[in-house]
Each structure stands twice: as C-alpha cells, then as structure tokens.
Amino acid sequence: MATVHTVTGPIDSADLGKVLVHEHIFIVGEEFRQNYQDDWDEDEKVAEAVTALTELEQLGIDTILDPTVLGLGRYIPRIQRIAEQVELNIVVATGLYTYNDIPFQFHYAGPGLLFDVPEPLVTLFTKDLTEGIADTGVRAAFLKCAIEEQGLTPGVERVMRAVGRTSAETGAPITVHTNPHTQSGLVAQKILAEEGADLTKVVIGHSGDSVDLDYLMKLADAGSILGMDRFGLDLLLPFENRVDTVAELCRRGYADRMALAHDASCFIDWFDHDAKVAALPKWNYRHISEDVLPALRERGVSDADITTMLVDVPRRYFD
C-alpha cells in the first residue's frame, strides 16, 4: 500500500476507509475577503466546518479529498485548525484552477517566455507534493486542473500539461474539473497522456453531470475514474438521473471505475449562503450517506459495488 499525506500527517492508503473524492471545505477568495467581506468571523467559520465534518464522520465517511487549489482560495492554516479537531482524514491538493488564463504571476516566466526558465508551475506543484505547502509542513497528495466550456485555452493547456508532467515525475494522481456536455474529459485525457500521466490515476471530475453513457464508458475504458461527484447539485442534473446513471454503470460492470462525492463545501463565496441553501437544499456532505446510497440499493446496486466506489477505487487511486 502507498503512503498518503493528510493534513495531520501520513497514513497508509489502506487506512483511508470510505472516501468522498471531491469535497471542498472553504472556497473563499482571500483577496476579496480581506478587502470586502467585513462580516467574516474566522472562529465561527472554523467551528461550523468542524461540526459539518464531524457529522460526516459519524455517518461513516472516513476521508475527504479536498481539491481546493490556487484560484479557489486554498489557505492551509485554516484547514489545519479544522483537521486538528476532527477524526476525519483531510487530504489536500496542489494545482491551479482556471477556465481561461493563468494568473499574472506566470504570464512572463516559463519556457520560451520573456524570462525563459523551466516551467515554474511544475516546480511549485512538485514542492507542494514533496516538501509541503508554504511553511505549513502539510504535503499535497494529488493534483488538480480544470477544463470548462471555454475549452483548451492557452492558459488551460499550460496548466494541464504542467499537472500531467508533475504527475508523471512524482506519481501523484490527478483530478480534473471537466464539463461533460462538451466532452472535455476526452481532451483532458489526451493532454495528460501526452505529458506521461497514468490515466488510471486520473479522476474525470463532474462526470456525474452527464447521462451520456457512451461518453462515460469511453472515459472509463481508457482507464480513468469517473467522478460521480456532484450529488446535491440538482439544478445541473436531477437526483433521479444521477442515481440512475450510477446504477446503470454498475450494472454494466463499471463500479470499479467510479468514485462518489458532492463537490460541496462548508462555505463558498460564489453565492449568497441562504440563497444557495434554498436553491440546493441537498447540496451538503450528508446527502450521499442519507439519500444516495439508499437510492442506489433500491436500484439493485450491491453493497460490494458501493464499497468498491467508496473504498477500493480511492485507495487504488493512490496505490
């Protein structure tokens, strides 16, 4: 078994237990927060997160993978405070989240640019994985990039290739935010493979937003893991469709290439909190345990397949 670095230290992959592969704790634009969010109470937000994650652990989930990276407001000291107060394992990522351009910090430095140096993204991602994030001592355990409806823009491609190269050099697995309606998971697979990444170590995130079985099976047949990871985001695809799709893929023998999650968070500053709760009342950490798993069982999904998706697939992702 492999060693997996959590926020509180390394564990054996066999000890990950039941895993939700794509959950954020906070998505907060720190620059915006410090300048304009004058109602922020740090202690209160930390306490709320501790409560939510404790409830999740009591429902039988042992680990979450948190793909909050540069561009989403990653701030590890806050996550450390939370991790010290919960039994749940929290595994964090490195990478960069953009649908278009990369940040200005990388516009002028890199191969063939004004300051012609080796790709700084690879250098930074590798440091996060092998030495630790900033001065926290916390090591990232996986990589994250994104490709959305805008497609493979120059900025998106540069990040994706840096993620693929870092994965090839370090062995760290990858999660990709994709838009299944544009079949961008196939684009991600192509680019990552060109950089030497192992596609069996890649979660094609947000595959659960699609009911296109041909597309989903094509991704899985190439070896990648389907991230059925937006349960509760029923405005994007209704609950019944999400559950039916997972159940049908299990029936077709794809349980060993699916992983589950909500893509939820304790706090996200993209929406008004009360409006978000009103519009998406099931978009929380409890939904899979309380609603999704019973619905899958009603559709004939076996406990063995559920264990495969929650335990075996995430463990294999790191092994």
Side-chain angles (χ1 to χ4, degrees), residues 14-276:
D15 297 326
L16 289 169
K18 294 179 180 177
V19 182
L20 299 181
V21 298
H22 193 123
E23 306 293 354
H24 302 276
I25 300 179
F26 290 100
I27 297 178
V28 177
E30 284 298 310
E31 187 175 20
F32 178 87
R33 182 187 70 79
Q34 292 180 34
N35 283 279
Y36 297 112
Q37 202 161 349
D38 53 11
D39 61 344
W40 180 269
D41 185 322
E42 182 77 11
D43 291 339
E44 178 183 275
K45 291 293 191 293
V46 167
E48 289 172 354
V50 169
T51 297
L53 292 172
T54 299
E55 290 175 353
L56 178 59
E57 190 268 334
Q58 291 170 346
L59 287 168
I61 300 300
D62 302 293
T63 302
I64 62 168
L65 309 188
D66 182 347
T68 306
V69 293
L70 193 66
L72 289 172
R74 185 183 70 181
Y75 182 55
I76 297 300
R78 182 181 296 132
I79 304 305
Q80 286 178 293
R81 284 187 63 190
I82 295 162
E84 289 166 356
Q85 300 178 62
V86 300
E87 296 296 322
L88 191 89
N89 299 310
I90 301 170
V91 180
V92 297
T94 186
L96 197 154
Y97 188 87
T98 181
Y99 300 163
N100 294 290
D101 298 330
I102 60 171
F104 281 109
Q105 290 88 350
F106 305 102
H107 274 216
Y108 304 106
L113 298 178
L114 178 62
F115 300 100
D116 191 354
V117 297
E119 177 57 74
L121 292 169
V122 172
T123 302
L124 295 179
F125 299 162
T126 301
K127 177 186 177 297
D128 285 352
L129 290 161
T130 61
E131 299 177 29
I133 298 168
D135 60 355
T136 64
V138 174
R139 287 169 60 174
F142 65 110
L143 291 141
K144 167 76 174 290
C145 58
I147 178 169
E148 247 299 336
E149 189 174 3
Q150 296 88 335
L152 195 67
T153 68
V156 165
E157 181 173 2
R158 184 175 169 192
V159 173
M160 189 170 290
R161 290 193 181 279
V163 162
R165 198 174 317 149
T166 305
S167 178
E169 292 175 359
T170 65
I174 300 168
T175 286
V176 187
H177 167 110
T178 68
N179 184 327
H181 307 298
T182 61
Q183 299 200 345
S184 61
L186 296 172
V187 178
Q189 285 184 324
K190 177 179 181 295
I191 298 299
L192 293 171
E194 287 175 356
E195 295 299 325
D198 178 354
L199 293 184
T200 69
K201 302 291 188 182
V202 176
V203 170
I204 304 297
H206 313 328
S207 294
D209 286 352
S210 176
V211 296
D212 185 343
L213 294 174
D214 289 338
Y215 166 67
L216 296 175
M217 289 188 296
K218 190 172 183 179
L219 293 171
D221 288 342
S224 296
I225 299 164
L226 303 174
M228 315 307 276
D229 54 17
R230 276 184 163 174
F231 280 104
L233 266 171
D234 296 337
L235 290 177
L236 298 182
L237 187 71
F239 172 80
E240 298 293 332
N241 297 88
R242 292 181 184 276
V243 174
D244 287 345
T245 301
V246 172
E248 177 59 23
L249 286 168
C250 285
R251 190 186 70 79
R252 297 188 186 194
Y254 286 90
D256 65 345
R257 277 154 287 178
M258 286 190 286
L260 307 179
H262 307 91
D263 193 16
S265 59
C266 298
F267 182 85
I268 178 171
D269 64 3
W270 294 9
F271 321 102
D272 175 82
H273 178 73
D274 292 338
K276 184 202 77 169

